[in-house]
């Protein structure tokens, strides 16, 4: 069986490792210059889940078989950085895949479209398409040339990181946002490495999720490390005074520490912050419009949520704008396939419905989730699967541990005759 895996993040790699163990021939396509490029892009961030939650049984077995020391992978108290996850776990697994003789690992290769033989999207519904191989078209990014391959099973594990949402109210662009989009950072910047961009400059951080507080924490650390220069920050969020919901007796201390910091900063409590860290909180606000006023400065009009009375407007300027308002899946890749997509999350429908049903019982803590089983991984398009972060669409509740369960579920489905 020819299996094509798109994306070599933790979950794409785990799928490839499991498929190779079953003797399938795997092609693993990765857009980035390195395997796990998205994790490499946030390598400076410390994970909030400890090692034992970030590795799979199969992955550990492979590394043990390669003679590696796997003791750290059982740790419930060590929290790796993105870089440590790549260097200690994902790179060695990619090395195993390359040497296995069953897997072509192609980096700097972007999957751009998937088709099903000569079938048009509306031709032959569902199971009638089974048995016809897929065509995966890709682009070699080092020379701009194109190629295609044929596969019996295609697994889309291309993630969502860096594909940020728009900044305006209701998820649409703020007025003028498209014109300045190249000036907006839509990932978690490595603030300490890019210090000259942030030190002595002003930065607008938009959002109140895990990414936003990670960016704010890094800006605070930058100020601590450089007592002289000011780090000026405007923090804009549609939430109010306590934007972070804490989990009672949170078993993940890193997550709780950031939630506490976020709520303190939102209340204007700067105890614990250095005096050169100057944060202004703009709660209950969203971006109405944004424009460039000189080569180094963006100007924004903020609009208050009209909770009581009419909306009010204010103006701010910043040298940097960091949009940490969530990520969305790129659904273009599988546009010509028969994928039933959720109208709310843009994830595959069966899984999205199961997650939505389960969220009624959940406490809002992503740790409480369970993977809802193999049947929810099925699409109308036979032998096409979306796994990993992308399978959750716009939802940010995904954990690697859940991704490893998804891999096991899809294996179960493709193993079945
Ligand atoms: C900052 C941050 C911290 C996180 N911390 C945790 C944590 O502590 N614990 C936890 O369990 N989860 C955490 N997550 C959530 C999630 O588990 C990770 O994002 C994880 O990396 C998702 O794995 P993935 O393989 O699904 O996708 P990704 O890691 O995003 O990998 C997708 C890969 O696909 C590639 N790609 C994209 N498009 C294409 C294309 N067209 N063709 C070929 N390749 C393509 C990308 O370059 C990338 O390498 C965190 C997420 C972020 C962003």
């Amino acid at each position: 069986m020819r299996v094509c895996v798109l994306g070599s993040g933790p979950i794409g790699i785990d799928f490839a490792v499991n498929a190779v163990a079953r003797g399938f021939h795997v092609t693993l396509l990765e857009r980035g210059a390195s395997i796990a490029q998205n994790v490499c892009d946030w390598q400076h961030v410390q994970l909030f889940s400890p090692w034992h939650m970030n590795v799979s049984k199969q992955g550990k077995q492979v590394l043990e078989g390669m003679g590696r020391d796997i003791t750290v992978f059982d740790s419930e108290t060590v929290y790796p950085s993105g870089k440590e996850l790549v260097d200690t776990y994902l790179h060695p697994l990619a090395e195993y895949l390359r040497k296995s003789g069953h897997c072509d690992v192609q980096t700097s290769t972007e999957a751009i479209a998937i088709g099903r033989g000569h079938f048009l999207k509306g031709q032959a519904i569902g199971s009638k398409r089974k048995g016809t191989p897929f065509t995966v078209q890709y682009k070699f990014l080092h020379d701009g040339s194109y190629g295609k391959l044929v596969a019996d099973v295609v697994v889309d594990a291309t993630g969502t990181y860096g594909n940020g949402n728009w900044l305006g109210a209701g998820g649409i662009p703020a007025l003028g946002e498209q014109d300045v989009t190249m000036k907006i950072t839509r990932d978690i910047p490595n603030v300490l490495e890019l210090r000259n961009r942030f030190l002595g400059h002003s930065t607008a951080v938009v959002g109140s999720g895990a990414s936003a507080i990670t960016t704010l924490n890094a800006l605070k650390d930058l100020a601590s490390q450089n007592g002289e220069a000011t780090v000026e920050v405007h923090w804009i969020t549609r939430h109010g005074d306590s934007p972070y919901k804490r989990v009672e007796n949170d078993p993940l201390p890193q997550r709780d520490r950031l939630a506490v910091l976020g709520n303190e900063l939102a209340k204007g409590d700067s105890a614990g912050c250095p005096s050169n860290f100057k944060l202004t909180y703009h709660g209950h606000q969203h971006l109405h419009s944004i424009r460039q006023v000189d080569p180094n400065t963006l100007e924004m009009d903020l609009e208050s949520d009209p909770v009581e009375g009419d909306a009010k407007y204010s103006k701010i300027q910043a040298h940097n704008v960091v949009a940490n308002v969530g990520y969305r899946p790129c659904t273009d890749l599988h546009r010509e396939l028969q994928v039933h997509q959720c109208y709310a999350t843009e994830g595959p429908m069966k899984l999205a419905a199961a997650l939505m049903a389960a969220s009624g019982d959940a406490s809002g803590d992503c740790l409480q989730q369970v993977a809802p089983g193999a049947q929810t991984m099925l699409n109308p398009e036979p032998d096409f699967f979306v796994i990993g972060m992308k399978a959750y669409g716009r939802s940010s509740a995904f954990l690697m541990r859940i991704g490893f369960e998804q891999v096991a579920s899809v294996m179960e489905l493709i193993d079945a005759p």
Side-chain angles (χ1 to χ4, degrees), residues 7 10-11 30-31 37-38 47-49 111 157-158 388-389 399-400:
I11 310 308
E30 167 57 51
R31 178 173 63 185
Q37 185 64 55
N38 280 357
L47 274 77
F48 58 79
S49 54
T158 54
M389 186 85 184
L399 290 175
M400 281 175 261

Side-chain angles (χ1 to χ4, degrees), residues 352-369:
L355 293 175
M356 227 172 268
S359 70
D361 316 324
S363 60
D365 176 6
C366 59
L367 271 189
Q368 301 303 322
Q369 308 171 72

Side-chain angles (χ1 to χ4, degrees), residues 27-312:
T27 305
L28 179 58
L29 304 183
E30 167 57 51
R31 178 173 63 185
S34 163
I35 61 109
Q37 185 64 55
N38 280 357
V39 182
C40 293
D41 290 348
W42 54 265
Q43 60 174 314
H44 50 288
V45 177
Q46 187 183 23
L47 274 77
F48 58 79
S49 54
W51 263 122
H52 81 104
M53 287 177 62
N54 309 324
V55 297
S56 73
K57 195 169 149 210
Q58 188 77 33
K60 274 201 312 188
Q61 264 172 19
V62 161
L63 296 188
E64 193 170 25
M66 289 169 79
R68 301 245 169 185
D69 180 0
I70 59 161
T71 332
V72 73
F73 299 145
D74 292 326
S75 173
E76 296 183 13
T77 52
V78 179
Y79 301 83
S81 64
K83 181 168 169 43
E84 286 164 333
L85 180 68
V86 172
D87 291 350
T88 318
Y89 183 67
L90 299 174
H91 267 157
L93 286 180
E95 184 191 322
Y96 158 80
L97 289 171
R98 285 195 176 97
K99 289 184 178 159
S100 70
H102 288 278
C103 183
D104 299 326
V105 182
Q106 296 185 16
T107 52
S108 299
T109 307
E110 181 176 20
I112 48 179
I114 313 162
R116 186 110 206 196
H118 290 122
F119 285 131
L120 298 174
K121 189 176 175 88
Q123 270 181 329
I125 302 300
S127 59
K128 294 200 177 117
R129 297 158 76 95
K130 194 166 174 70
T132 301
F134 294 94
T135 304
V136 178
Q137 200 180 106
Y138 52 82
K139 184 173 184 175
F140 290 119
L141 298 180
H142 53 267
D143 64 5
S145 64
Y146 292 86
K148 58 185 179 179
L149 61 81
V150 170
D152 306 301
V153 172
V154 175
V155 173
D156 182 350
T158 54
T160 60
Y161 182 70
N163 196 22
N165 289 324
W166 294 111
L167 286 170
I172 63 174
L175 297 179
E177 185 176 347
Q178 290 103 322
D179 295 342
V180 296
T181 191
M182 299 303 285
K183 298 265 172 193
I184 297 174
T185 303
R186 295 190 193 270
D187 57 12
I188 303 173
N190 191 342
V191 169
L192 297 182
E193 197 172 283
L194 302 167
R195 58 185 58 229
N196 292 338
R197 224 175 99 190
F198 298 98
L199 213 51
H201 295 112
S202 57
T203 301
V205 178
V206 193
S208 54
S211 296
I213 190 57
T214 301
T215 300
L216 292 164
N217 186 43
L219 288 163
K220 179 177 80 69
D221 287 349
L222 178 67
S224 301
Q225 288 178 14
N226 298 273
E228 300 287 297
T230 299
V231 176
E232 190 190 339
V233 178
H234 290 279
W235 180 18
I236 303 148
T237 158
R238 61 195 169 92
H239 294 289
D241 281 351
S242 289
Y244 289 91
K245 192 171 169 215
R246 289 178 67 191
V247 175
E248 209 175 326
N249 302 319
D250 196 339
L252 303 178
Q254 167 74 353
R255 176 173 70 175
D256 193 51
R257 195 175 65 77
L258 290 175
V260 169
L261 174 69
N263 290 340
E264 281 174 0
L265 293 177
K267 285 195 183 91
D269 179 356
S270 55
C273 295
S275 58
N276 59 331
F277 179 66
K278 309 265 185 219
L279 183 135
T280 310
Y281 182 62
H282 304 269
H284 286 308
Q285 307 274 328
H286 59 254
L287 230 66
H288 174 265
S289 55
I290 181 166
R291 69 201 74 83
Q292 188 163 357
V293 286
D294 68 45
N296 300 315
T297 314
L298 291 167
E299 185 174 73
M300 287 149 273
D301 290 314
L302 307 185
E303 183 178 5
S304 67
D305 275 348
V307 188
E308 288 165 12
D310 295 336
K312 295 185 182 61

